[in-house]
Amino acid sequence: MINLYKYNKTLSLIIFFFSLTSFAFVNLKSDTPIITLICFFLIATVGVSHGSLDHLKGYKVLKFYKIKEKIKFYLAYIFFSLVVILFWLNFPYLILVLFLLIASFHFGKEDSSFDKVKKNKFSNLLFFLKGSIIVLAPLYLHPTETLKIFDVLNVEFSNINSDVVVLLLGFSFLSNFFINEKVMIALIDFFTVILLNFTFTPLVAFTIYFCFPHSVRHTFSLIIELNKKNFIKGFKDFIVTALPLTLITAILFLISVYFLVNYYVLSEAILKVIFIGLASLTFPHILLEYI
């Protein structure tokens, strides 16, 4: 039987030492066009790949409801994604806030699943607080840059109350003690996010977190679902199974950027595609996860 905790522990330590080394030797406080493109490429491939097995989970849902036409899953998934984009265009403030709240819960829950979770009646709140570090760290350490990203997404915030952010950061830190049995790894992940945001811009810090600790960790669990006894074979199965939808998503992201550069500068077009695109995928992805 594959030891999932061992793989996730190793991953957490690697990313932590990377962030620690970067904090000591790297000083990257602005995004150049090439850096923005690299972030876009990583998110559109490595990042979204952990959701590329959603169709297998969708087939299970169809089977449960005795629906034979698999095309109905894809139509429903695409429809849900388009509805999210449509709502974002018309109610950007509302959808952004919902996206950040749901994403925080999702990050907290998924990044706790590698270890035994302490169950209690406040578990969902604790998952939300744990995952909120992904949103809170850039808001506190790079408020101006973060608000500029929100502005590109058609959401304007006049300012950020730093005292409230610090208070929530404290709650996010404390939540780790009430979720996982092995608190040390959870705390390492917490400080990894802090170090990444100290060192890098919000976009780069998010890309590193989303593509590696979060997506790779989720991928580990998918590999084990595909093959519980042989990790290498499970990894090969994952690549073959995830590649088609990953490529389709990446191509759609590229097409979206191609059209948006007619109206926005490249960096703004990429930011819109990254975050609005992720929101359109995150809502149906999370809904499917919990169905």
Side-chain angles (χ1 to χ4, degrees), residues 5 114-116 118 176 180-187:
Y5 175 76
F114 67 91
D115 185 20
K116 186 177 180 180
K118 300 176 183 177
N176 291 283
N180 289 115
E181 295 285 350
K182 297 178 176 64
V183 179
M184 186 55 66
I185 296 300
L187 293 179

Side-chain angles (χ1 to χ4, degrees), residues 40 153 252-258 260 268-280:
F40 173 76
L153 300 176
L252 289 174
F253 273 37
L254 281 170
I255 292 173
S256 300
V257 170
Y258 175 79
L260 286 177
E268 291 186 357
I270 287 176
L271 286 173
K272 285 180 179 290
V273 172
I274 286 176
F275 290 103
I276 298 178
L278 284 182
S280 71

Side-chain angles (χ1 to χ4, degrees), residues 42-140:
L42 287 173
I43 290 173
T45 54
V46 179
V48 303
S49 66
H50 77 281
S52 295
L53 299 190
D54 280 358
H55 61 295
L56 299 183
K57 298 175 182 179
Y59 296 162
K60 292 180 181 179
V61 175
L62 293 179
K63 185 177 180 180
F64 178 81
Y65 288 105
K66 299 180 181 179
I67 300 174
K68 296 182 179 180
E69 300 86 354
K70 293 181 179 179
I71 188 65
K72 290 184 178 180
F73 162 75
Y74 294 101
L75 292 175
Y77 203 95
I78 294 170
F79 174 77
F80 207 150
S81 297
L82 292 176
V83 167
V84 173
I85 295 173
L86 181 62
F87 269 79
W88 192 305
L89 296 176
N90 290 278
F91 310 100
Y93 186 96
L94 173 63
I95 301 303
L96 175 63
V97 171
L98 284 175
F99 174 52
L100 295 179
L101 292 174
I102 293 173
S104 293
F105 172 77
H106 177 65
F107 290 147
K109 190 174 190 303
E110 291 299 318
D111 293 343
S112 301
S113 61
F114 67 91
D115 185 20
K116 186 177 180 180
V117 175
K118 300 176 183 177
K119 294 182 179 180
N120 60 68
K121 60 182 179 180
F122 300 110
S123 292
N124 289 337
L125 175 61
L126 292 170
F127 288 141
F128 165 75
L129 291 173
K130 176 183 173 75
S132 66
I133 182 63
I134 309 304
V135 177
L136 296 172
L139 279 174
Y140 181 70

Side-chain angles (χ1 to χ4, degrees), residues 114-181:
F114 67 91
D115 185 20
K116 186 177 180 180
V117 175
K118 300 176 183 177
K119 294 182 179 180
N120 60 68
K121 60 182 179 180
F122 300 110
S123 292
N124 289 337
L125 175 61
L126 292 170
F127 288 141
F128 165 75
L129 291 173
K130 176 183 173 75
S132 66
I133 182 63
I134 309 304
V135 177
L136 296 172
L139 279 174
Y140 181 70
L141 296 169
H142 300 283
T144 302
E145 294 87 344
T146 305
L147 291 180
K148 284 182 179 179
I149 292 176
F150 290 166
D151 186 56
V152 170
L153 300 176
N154 301 325
V155 178
E156 294 184 10
F157 288 93
S158 56
N159 56 65
I160 297 295
N161 190 319
S162 59
D163 292 334
V164 173
V165 175
V166 169
L167 179 63
L168 293 174
L169 279 169
F171 285 135
S172 181
F173 172 76
L174 292 173
S175 68
N176 291 283
F177 292 92
F178 300 95
I179 295 177
N180 289 115
E181 295 285 350

